[in-house]
Amino acid sequence: MNPRPLIAVSRRYDSALLRELAATAEIMMPPDEAGTLSRETLLGVAGRLVALITQGDVTVDAALIVASPNLRIVANAAIGVNNLALDELRRRSIWATNAPEGFVEATADCAIGLLLMLARRLGEADRFVRAGNWTAFEPGRWDGTLLRGKTLGLIGYGRIGRAVERRADAFGLTVIHHTRTRTAAPQWRTLEALLAGADVVSLHVPLNTESERLLDAGRLALMKPGAW
């Protein structure tokens, strides 16, 4: 009797979420939540592998694909697909999926949260108190600065960038943005103009050969004194 088809999941999920898959296939996951399935482990079972679910943490390159003759789908539970050899998957008619909407709101929340921590010095103040250094109210010491009236420059204006903009509007920030292709919006700026005009710059672009080291020393030097 042939073994059941194998589905590998790179990180551990609640088994209840995989109940339907488990009814028709064997599920292989790391033994604990902190672990991931190594490349060596996947290559070791590649002959039985019919599906792979990753969080963008597995490089599905041509070598892994060739070693997996029964592979039918690679599902990224992540926004990007930069870990996938798409040409090779396409050549072998293997499905590849991602979750472009899955993390938009959470990422935008975190971006604004980090901005608030920076402007209001919340991280510094929290560490100060937890270290036992607080003794009395000190007016002015932890005031930080207001966001209202500041200019936020978004490099990248996709789903996440626009979600950050919606939140930034509520804090009274003026938002400008830069994309590789000029948009018709009056808020569009060249990258150099955005860096020179923004009080805060937030990047929301995928990491690839075009965006790597996008902000080098020369471009950082364009930013105004005190800009973040």
Side-chain angles (χ1 to χ4, degrees):
M1 181 177 180
N2 292 329
R4 294 202 302 167
L6 179 66
I7 298 174
V9 185
S10 67
R11 290 184 180 272
R12 192 158 193 84
Y13 285 82
D14 185 333
S15 59
L17 298 174
L18 304 172
R19 187 177 295 116
E20 291 187 30
L21 291 177
T24 58
E26 178 185 343
I27 307 295
M28 182 175 70
M29 292 189 291
D32 56 73
E33 292 184 1
T36 60
L37 292 180
S38 69
R39 180 180 179 83
E40 291 72 22
T41 298
L42 291 171
L43 286 170
V45 298
R48 294 179 53 210
L49 201 60
V50 297
L52 174 58
I53 301 173
T54 90
Q55 289 196 325
D57 49 0
V58 174
T59 298
V60 185
D61 56 14
L64 180 56
I65 295 168
V66 169
S68 309
N70 298 308
L71 187 62
R72 294 293 175 263
I73 183 169
V74 179
N76 260 3
I79 291 176
V81 293
N82 55 297
N83 61 311
L84 307 180
L86 294 176
D87 289 342
E88 185 67 20
L89 291 169
R90 187 178 298 112
R91 191 173 75 81
R92 294 174 179 269
S93 299
I94 299 171
W95 281 88
T97 68
N98 63 334
E101 300 284 355
F103 305 94
V104 170
E105 301 300 325
T107 305
D109 283 353
C110 287
I112 293 298
L114 290 169
L115 176 54
L116 286 167
M117 287 184 66
L118 185 63
R120 307 308 308 191
R121 302 179 63 191
L122 299 178
E124 291 178 73
D126 178 73
R127 291 189 294 274
F128 183 84
V129 172
R130 289 179 185 277
N133 295 322
W134 184 86
T135 57
F137 175 53
E138 300 175 75
R141 179 166 186 174
W142 301 107
D143 286 356
T145 188
L146 290 172
L147 292 180
R148 183 167 297 280
K150 297 287 192 301
T151 297
L152 170 62
L154 299 174
I155 299 177
Y157 194 60
R159 294 179 178 89
I160 294 174
R162 293 192 295 272
V164 172
E165 180 181 49
R166 291 192 297 271
R167 289 157 172 77
D169 286 343
F171 287 95
L173 286 154
T174 297
V175 180
I176 57 178
H177 67 257
H178 169 77
T179 53
R180 288 179 300 175
T181 303
R182 180 169 188 158
T183 70
Q187 294 85 7
W188 186 89
R189 301 288 188 275
T190 65
L191 180 56
E192 289 71 21
L194 180 143
L195 293 171
D199 298 296
V200 187
V201 172
S202 188
L203 282 82
H204 300 282
V205 294
L207 176 60
N208 53 39
T209 54
E210 294 182 9
S211 63
E212 187 173 15
R213 302 184 188 279
L214 180 66
L215 295 189
D216 56 16
R219 282 177 169 156
L220 289 174
L222 297 173
M223 297 177 69
K224 64 179 73 172
W228 302 320

